[in-house]
Amino acid sequence: AHHERAMLAHHQGDVSRAGLHFKKAAELAPDNPVFQKSLGDFYHVAQKNTDAALVQYRKVLALTPNVAHLHGAGRYGEIGEEVRQAGWLALALGLLAVILLKNPEPLLAFSQVNPAVEAKVRLYLDAIAWSLPPMLAFRVFYGFMAGIGRPRAVMAINLVGLVFKVPLNLVFIHGHFGIPAMGGPGCAAATAVISWITMSIAWGWCARRTDCEGYGVFTRWSWPDLSRIGTLLRLGLPIGATQFVDVTAFTFMALFIA
């Protein structure tokens, strides 16, 4: 009811009342991604509060709601376990992705590209495959930082990756410093290198921050806990499926046009 009242108030131009109802809806249904995203949209559009909007948007991600819930409840010591289990999940999914991209025969057979394009696609996928494990590990960092309300760290590290992107593209695409020119697949190679750099910076920074010690991410070793990982999957699979459709739609269009 609060969400509908907020939408009606916003439509009528009553920003103050809309904000109250958006916040109430999000508080009463913390696991409802629609209500959380609506509150983020309100912060971004109506109040021009980018930081609050970023925190709210990231509550829609799989790890972030768990971390945010524990953080809000003051159960800081349990956050580390959630992050470690997310790390195991990221490792498993990263290895699976490498295997799939290293064996792209079903995709290539379905798209029916000509041999010249197929050779370039194989080189590209072979290079980009090695970027997925660090990307997923960085995604865990992303969810952790968002859950504890520190999205600026993610933004800063992403900007560092962007600084590396242009020179590394030039090196791998055109060939410099003894590295042969790779053309289009060089973009994938550059992405893989940048992914490992940003992931290393992110977790290295986290390990050295005294204000992150209270969450216990690095205090002990944890083996995979199937119950916790299952919870992450139940939250994350619908979100991941949506992003998968968005990305693969563009990929397939490029292959079909080729």
Side-chain angles (χ1 to χ4, degrees):
H2 283 286
H3 188 259
E4 287 72 18
R5 291 177 183 175
M7 298 294 288
L8 179 61
H10 191 267
H11 180 72
Q12 293 173 342
D14 191 340
V15 176
S16 178
R17 188 160 61 92
L20 291 174
H21 285 300
F22 276 130
K23 291 176 184 177
K24 194 66 177 178
E27 288 173 5
L28 293 176
D31 295 328
N32 189 314
V34 175
F35 293 175
Q36 302 302 326
K37 184 178 182 302
S38 293
L39 180 56
D41 291 341
F42 175 79
Y43 284 143
H44 181 59
V45 176
Q47 295 188 341
K48 309 298 182 184
N49 190 338
T50 305
D51 288 343
L54 285 172
V55 172
Q56 202 62 32
Y57 288 146
R58 286 171 176 81
K59 288 184 180 180
V60 182
L61 301 174
L63 175 63
T64 306
N66 292 357
V67 172
H69 170 70
L70 295 172
H71 187 265
R75 293 154 60 186
Y76 304 126
E78 298 179 44
I79 292 176
E81 183 63 24
E82 288 291 330
V83 174
R84 287 190 292 273
Q85 295 305 319
W88 281 113
L89 179 58
L91 176 62
L93 292 176
L95 293 176
L96 176 62
V98 170
I99 293 170
L100 291 175
L101 291 181
K102 289 283 188 179
N103 299 276
E105 286 76 16
L107 171 64
L108 296 175
F110 179 73
S111 57
Q112 298 180 344
V113 296
N114 64 59
V117 174
E118 179 178 333
K120 292 182 179 180
V121 170
R122 284 181 179 275
L123 286 173
Y124 188 94
L125 294 178
D126 188 66
I128 202 70
W130 298 110
S131 72
L132 292 175
M135 277 185 180
L136 291 171
F138 184 80
R139 193 70 177 182
V140 176
F141 174 81
Y142 178 103
F144 174 38
M145 289 294 107
I148 62 175
R150 297 180 185 173
R152 291 183 181 178
V154 178
M155 180 185 69
I157 295 170
N158 275 327
L159 288 175
V160 172
L162 184 62
V163 170
F164 280 103
K165 181 65 174 173
V166 174
L168 285 176
N169 273 344
L170 291 174
V171 168
F172 286 103
I173 293 173
H174 301 289
H176 294 285
F177 308 109
I179 297 174
M182 299 174 64
C187 292
T191 298
V193 173
I194 292 166
S195 297
W196 284 101
I197 291 173
T198 54
M199 185 273 292
S200 300
I201 292 173
W203 287 112
W205 174 86
C206 182
R208 288 167 174 77
R209 291 284 295 186
T210 55
D211 51 352
C212 290
E213 290 178 358
Y215 302 108
V217 176
F218 301 102
T219 54
R220 66 184 181 89
W221 173 266
S222 295
W223 290 105
D225 184 328
L226 296 182
S227 175
R228 288 179 181 270
I229 291 174
T231 300
L232 289 171
L233 283 172
R234 284 192 295 273
L235 286 169
L237 279 176
I239 302 166
T242 302
Q243 294 178 345
F244 175 78
V245 171
D246 288 341
V247 173
T248 52
F250 287 103
T251 304
F252 275 117
M253 285 303 297
L255 291 174
F256 288 144
I257 292 170

